Amino acid sequence: MSGKPRLTYLNGRGRMEPVRWLLAAAGVEFEEVYLETKEQYDKLIKDGFLLFQQVPLVEIDGMKMVQTRAILSYIAGKYNLYGKDLKERALIDMYVEGIADLMQMILMFPFSPPDAKDKNLDSIKERATNRYFPVFEKVLKQHGQDFLVGNKFSWADVQLMEAILAVEEKIPAVLSGFPQLQVFKTKMSNMPTIKKFLQPGSPRKPPPDAHYVETVLKVFKK
Amino acid sequence: MSGKPKLYYFDGRGKMESIRWLLAAAGVEFEEEFLETREQYEKLLQGGSLLFQQVPMVEIDGMKMVQTRAILSYIAAKYNLYGKDLKERALIDMYVGGTDDLMGFILMFPFLSAEDKEKQRAFIVQKATSRYFPVYEKVLKDHGQDFLVGNNFSWADVHLLEAILMVEEKKSDVLSGFPQLQAFKARISSIPTIKKFLEPGSQRKPVPDDKYVETVRKVLRMYYDLKAN
């Protein structure tokens, strides 16, 4: 019951990647089960593992947790990455929700039709550079601290770091107008747990490729 | 600074409705400013009130909160509607995640083309009756308690009632296979704060109409149709 958390998802980023990031950042080891066939997925549903018939699923502390946000909030709460009081939690929640909106665009990108890809890439760039990154640039500039909230490492920092790297994979120079974020990225990269997660051989998953897209479509086929 | 919360949104349900429900359920009076013109929205933007340039925005306890989930979590915790510990919070978060997904299908409904609306209505009912309602029916049946989590009124109960009523607006007999949910609906509706919210004259908003859709499109300059699920 108090073994390592066990993650069930496809062998790829998708909606599970923020969970991998957060557990890793908290220094928590975890196991993974990869969905490769529709039959595996149907069996999980039939056996009653998936509350709403969906993954991500994280077995943790005797619970079969679903719903990405619920899972992330639980991990953040458990490992003291959720601020020191209600107001800090409110800030962290606002920041992670904003970042999640940006990450949603990246999540959906591999599944967009070929003729829409350029437009979607432009949208990601536009949103990152005009809506989301300026907010965090300003937050860091205004308080001059290393971390986004309460001068302490939190879920918000992990989420922002993940987003920065994900956007950079699509738009390499995207941080060029954001000096604070450049410094932030370097600092985060040097934190021991994150540094370890960024090394080859970690549970971090590579960017989605054609095989991943194919597997998603196959496993979740109606 | 410690006046009533103030809600900034359109004069309609949208993403703000769950917040109205939760404040009302908690017995908290609130004020509203309705966005009616593009100019009002741009003024809010230029004033720096909207962290990610979006509404909902709620002024509460000296903060200008945005992001619906963040706002709801804050209200739930502040008014003790978030369970007694981390595990109860986890359950509430999971349940609310489900009802949120379900209400999300309904949220986009007014912005669909006419033909997509019919498709979406069927989709909403199908998901409600095969994926979401059975979960809550079973939860209530298994523990036999009045409330979803920890034998205590919580955000999860408010959110589920809101979802039930919204789906019923699309298909009035949708609860016919769910006796626990029927009893739940009657029970939660009779809680004094909720009963008050369900009465005419409350701040609860009606089913979105053409005027609402027009206003949203105009203010956000969102002139395309959304795609059905």
Side-chain angles (χ1 to χ4, degrees):
Chain A
M1 193 123 296
S2 55
K4 298 178 192 172
R6 189 158 76 166
L7 280 50
T8 300
Y9 199 69
L10 298 104
N11 186 0
R13 290 184 181 176
R15 293 189 185 283
M16 189 63 99
E17 196 70 355
V19 177
R20 298 183 183 106
W21 266 92
L22 193 56
L23 284 170
V28 177
E29 280 182 31
F30 53 92
E31 293 169 1
E32 299 201 67
V33 172
Y34 298 125
L35 291 183
E36 271 143 11
T37 67
K38 187 171 191 311
E39 290 66 40
Q40 259 178 299
Y41 174 55
D42 288 343
K43 184 164 192 296
L44 270 180
I45 294 175
K46 196 161 137 268
D47 293 347
F49 272 65
L50 306 179
L51 190 67
F52 300 114
Q53 301 153 21
Q54 297 164 316
V55 285
L57 164 70
V58 174
E59 293 167 75
I60 183 170
D61 297 339
M63 299 182 285
K64 289 180 173 50
M65 285 202 74
V66 298
Q67 290 287 326
T68 314
R69 265 193 206 91
I71 295 164
L72 290 167
S73 290
Y74 181 77
I75 295 167
K78 181 176 178 180
Y79 294 103
N80 292 310
L81 294 169
Y82 220 162
K84 71 178 197 297
D85 57 27
L86 218 53
K87 285 211 168 173
E88 285 194 355
R89 231 177 75 190
L91 272 178
I92 291 168
D93 277 340
M94 281 194 274
Y95 296 163
V96 301
E97 288 292 308
I99 294 165
D101 284 347
L102 176 60
M103 292 298 280
Q104 176 74 5
M105 299 173 79
I106 296 177
L107 188 94
M108 300 306 297
F109 184 80
F111 301 93
S112 44
D115 59 357
K117 283 208 152 68
D118 281 343
K119 196 178 118 222
N120 289 340
L121 191 59
D122 282 345
S123 293
I124 291 170
K125 183 177 185 188
E126 196 272 330
R127 283 280 188 257
T129 53
N130 293 335
R131 178 172 289 191
Y132 296 106
F133 288 174
V135 168
F136 303 108
E137 181 76 8
K138 183 175 181 213
V139 166
L140 291 166
K141 183 160 196 204
Q142 281 189 335
H143 61 42
Q145 292 163 3
D146 286 355
F147 306 108
L148 284 171
V149 178
N151 208 11
K152 196 162 175 272
F153 185 53
S154 79
W155 173 20
D157 301 302
V158 182
Q159 199 71 81
L160 178 57
M161 181 61 177
E162 181 191 1
I164 284 171
L165 295 184
V167 178
E168 274 187 332
E169 277 168 356
K170 299 218 159 327
I171 305 151
V174 73
L175 282 196
S176 60
F178 302 101
Q180 298 283 336
L181 293 183
Q182 290 173 38
V183 170
F184 174 84
K185 178 190 161 189
T186 305
K187 288 199 178 121
M188 288 302 121
S189 307
N190 289 325
M191 292 191 64
T193 50
I194 296 192
K195 190 171 184 183
K196 189 167 169 215
F197 188 64
L198 292 174
Q199 277 160 1
S202 84
R204 187 182 184 212
K205 300 295 174 274
D209 58 11
H211 174 69
Y212 172 75
V213 171
E214 213 180 283
T215 311
V216 170
L217 295 175
K218 180 178 69 172
V219 169
F220 299 123
K221 197 160 76 123
K222 293 197 216 308
Chain B
M1 193 130 292
S2 55
K4 298 179 191 171
K6 189 166 171 185
L7 279 48
Y8 293 77
Y9 200 68
F10 311 100
D11 185 4
R13 290 182 181 177
K15 286 187 187 285
M16 189 62 99
E17 194 70 354
S18 295
I19 294 168
R20 298 183 183 107
W21 268 90
L22 191 56
L23 284 169
V28 178
E29 281 182 31
F30 54 92
E31 292 170 0
E32 301 198 70
E33 186 163 308
F34 298 125
L35 292 185
E36 271 144 12
T37 67
R38 176 78 188 172
E39 290 68 39
Q40 257 179 299
Y41 174 57
E42 285 182 354
K43 187 154 178 267
L44 271 180
L45 283 174
Q46 275 145 30
S49 293
L50 307 179
L51 188 67
F52 299 115
Q53 302 155 23
Q54 297 163 315
V55 285
M57 191 270 277
V58 174
E59 284 174 352
I60 184 168
D61 297 337
M63 299 181 285
K64 287 179 167 52
M65 286 199 74
V66 297
Q67 291 293 334
T68 314
R69 264 311 184 66
I71 297 165
L72 289 166
S73 290
Y74 181 78
I75 295 167
K78 182 176 177 180
Y79 295 102
N80 293 311
L81 294 168
Y82 219 163
K84 71 177 197 298
D85 57 26
L86 215 56
K87 283 210 169 176
E88 285 193 356
R89 232 180 76 192
L91 273 178
I92 291 169
D93 278 340
M94 282 194 275
Y95 295 161
V96 164
T99 40
D100 198 43
D101 284 346
L102 177 57
M103 287 201 276
F105 305 138
I106 302 176
L107 195 90
M108 63 159 75
F109 188 84
F111 299 92
L112 299 173
S113 67
E115 62 172 279
D116 273 356
K117 275 187 166 117
E118 274 326 293
K119 228 177 86 188
Q120 187 76 351
R121 186 188 304 268
F123 178 83
I124 288 164
V125 171
Q126 193 261 332
K127 281 288 187 265
T129 53
S130 65
R131 176 170 289 188
Y132 296 104
F133 287 173
V135 169
Y136 305 103
E137 180 78 8
K138 181 171 194 279
V139 166
L140 292 166
K141 183 162 195 207
D142 283 352
H143 63 43
Q145 292 164 3
D146 284 357
F147 307 109
L148 285 170
V149 178
N151 209 11
N152 236 314
F153 183 51
S154 80
W155 173 21
D157 302 302
V158 182
H159 217 244
L160 177 57
L161 178 62
E162 182 189 2
I164 285 171
L165 296 183
M166 282 181 79
V167 179
E168 277 187 329
E169 280 166 352
K170 297 270 170 279
K171 186 171 195 282
S172 55
D173 63 350
V174 75
L175 282 195
S176 61
F178 303 99
Q180 298 284 336
L181 292 183
Q182 289 173 38
F184 174 86
K185 176 189 163 191
R187 245 181 356 253
I188 306 301
S189 301
S190 61
I191 290 174
T193 49
I194 301 220
K195 186 164 188 213
K196 190 167 169 213
F197 189 62
L198 291 172
E199 277 161 8
S202 82
Q203 283 161 296
R204 186 182 182 212
K205 301 295 174 274
V207 179
D209 57 10
D210 289 340
K211 178 166 182 279
Y212 169 75
V213 172
E214 215 180 282
T215 307
V216 173
R217 286 195 189 288
K218 179 179 70 176
V219 171
L220 296 183
R221 292 194 177 149
M222 194 181 89
Y223 293 112
Y224 49 87
D225 281 340
L226 296 180
K227 286 196 185 52
N229 285 95

